[in-house]
């Protein structure tokens, strides 16, 4: 996957017959990215939209919030879930000033966001020192081959918690 | 990668000559996972350790916190960064009751955690309805082939924010 330029899914622009609306939301994400730099964060912004309305925005706050997970998309997703009162963001679209890293892309899947519009890509990010592609490559490897050393431990005992989940009658699945 | 059973890096246990210490931290993560079920969360817990001391713990709070990113590992990483006053968790180890999903694995890389110990694996998780492997497969695909529809937009304008980052003399890199 690395090094391949993502193909545009142009239908996403045509079918809405409103490229200007998408561009407006993307410009808002880019403006958040630009302002984030002034505030000591990384140059990344994101906007989450539902039914043509902005639900939440986010920008990179890793340094100012002292939180390595506070990327623009994660921040916007957390804010959107709070605003909508649901961990399920089905029906939402995310506009992000840069193609998401694996952490943020994972968050987009967990949140069940329907569509993604992005500005810069991984290669642009790598050029200014954000090498998401290293993490993309690592995640695709077998755990034993990753740079991150890992070891399995107490698998049988760990499965006990899973059995408690299975046995719970009134659980909310997510 | 999918379907392959992760190989244990047994050296992680031997070199410390203290398997019992690792098991103690893992049991704490498993207990957090078990209690999380009682509290309406998913059956996942995590413990972050530095120099043999617990720095922070986390458990799944997606449903109770209404936050799709509130997985055990992300929650523990955020708490550890706050406790240590740093977005950089170099020198820390994470004990997680289950092999992390791509979002959490990405967070572990961004936090620069050194080592990971895990209990259940992806296959165990899939058996109780948490199909992380779908997200692992999607992330490895070219964007145009993913289930998540995506489209690139305003790349040139988006790069402006990157130029602002490059031009900033006093930025904190992360």
């Amino acid at each position: 996957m690395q090094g391949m330029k993502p193909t545009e899914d142009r239908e996403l622009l045509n079918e809405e017959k409103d490229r200007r609306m998408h561009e407006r939301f993307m410009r808002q994400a880019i403006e958040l990215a630009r302002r984030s730099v002034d505030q000591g964060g990384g140059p990344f912004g994101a906007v989450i939209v539902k039914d043509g309305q902005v639900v939440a925005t986010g920008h990179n706050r890793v340094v100012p919030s002292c939180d390595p997970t506070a990327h623009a998309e994660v921040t916007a997703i957390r804010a959107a879930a709070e605003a909508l009162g649901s961990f399920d963001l089905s029906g939402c679209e995310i506009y992000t000033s840069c193609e998401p890293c694996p952490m943020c892309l994972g968050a987009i899947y967990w949140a069940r966001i329907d569509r993604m519009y992005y500005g810069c890509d991984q290669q642009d990010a790598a050029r200014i020192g954000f090498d998401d592609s290293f993490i993309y490559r690592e995640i695709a490897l077998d755990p034993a081959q990753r740079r991150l050393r890992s070891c399995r431990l107490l698998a049988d005992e760990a499965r006990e918690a899973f059995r408690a989940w299975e046995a719970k009658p009134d659980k909310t699945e997510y």
Side-chain angles (χ1 to χ4, degrees), chain A residues 143-168:
Chain A
Q145 274 141 9
R146 291 184 189 137
R147 193 84 62 89
L148 174 71
R149 298 184 68 185
S150 66
C151 179
R152 197 168 184 191
L153 203 58
L154 301 181
D156 288 339
E157 291 182 41
R159 289 192 195 100
E160 290 291 337
F162 280 11
R163 282 189 275 275
W165 168 262
E166 286 184 288
K168 190 179 166 74

Side-chain angles (χ1 to χ4, degrees), chain A residues 13-132:
Chain A
L13 298 175
N14 293 335
E15 72 183 7
E16 299 290 332
K17 292 182 173 47
D18 202 341
R19 187 174 183 116
R20 266 183 303 186
M21 181 189 73
H22 296 300
E23 289 184 347
R24 182 160 49 87
F25 293 133
M26 179 58 81
R27 285 201 177 96
Q28 190 173 345
I30 294 168
E31 176 60 17
L32 285 160
R34 207 194 50 71
R35 273 190 287 159
S36 177
V37 176
D38 298 334
Q39 294 167 24
F44 304 98
V47 172
I48 294 177
V49 170
K50 187 171 190 177
D51 301 329
Q53 302 291 322
V54 174
V55 172
T57 65
H59 57 90
N60 183 287
R61 292 202 300 233
V62 170
V63 174
S65 295
C66 189
D67 176 358
T69 73
H71 286 199
E73 298 94 326
V74 164
T75 304
I77 286 170
R78 300 182 79 221
E82 192 178 345
L84 295 174
S86 173
F87 55 80
D88 181 346
L89 302 182
S90 298
C92 291
E93 301 173 346
I94 190 164
Y95 295 77
T96 175
S97 65
C98 182
E99 192 183 353
C101 77
M103 175 180 74
C104 292
L105 187 55
I108 287 167
Y109 277 99
W110 283 115
R112 302 177 200 162
I113 288 174
D114 286 343
R115 295 170 179 198
M116 173 173 79
Y117 298 85
Y118 62 99
C120 295
D121 67 8
Q122 280 182 49
Q123 286 71 38
D124 294 322
R127 240 171 261 129
I128 62 159
F130 294 95
D131 194 5
D132 299 7

Side-chain angles (χ1 to χ4, degrees), chain A residues 2 102 122 131-139 147-148:
Chain A
Q2 296 314 312
Q122 280 182 49
D131 194 5
D132 299 7
S133 61
F134 166 70
I135 302 181
Y136 271 101
R137 280 193 305 273
E138 285 280 303
I139 281 181
R147 193 84 62 89
L148 174 71

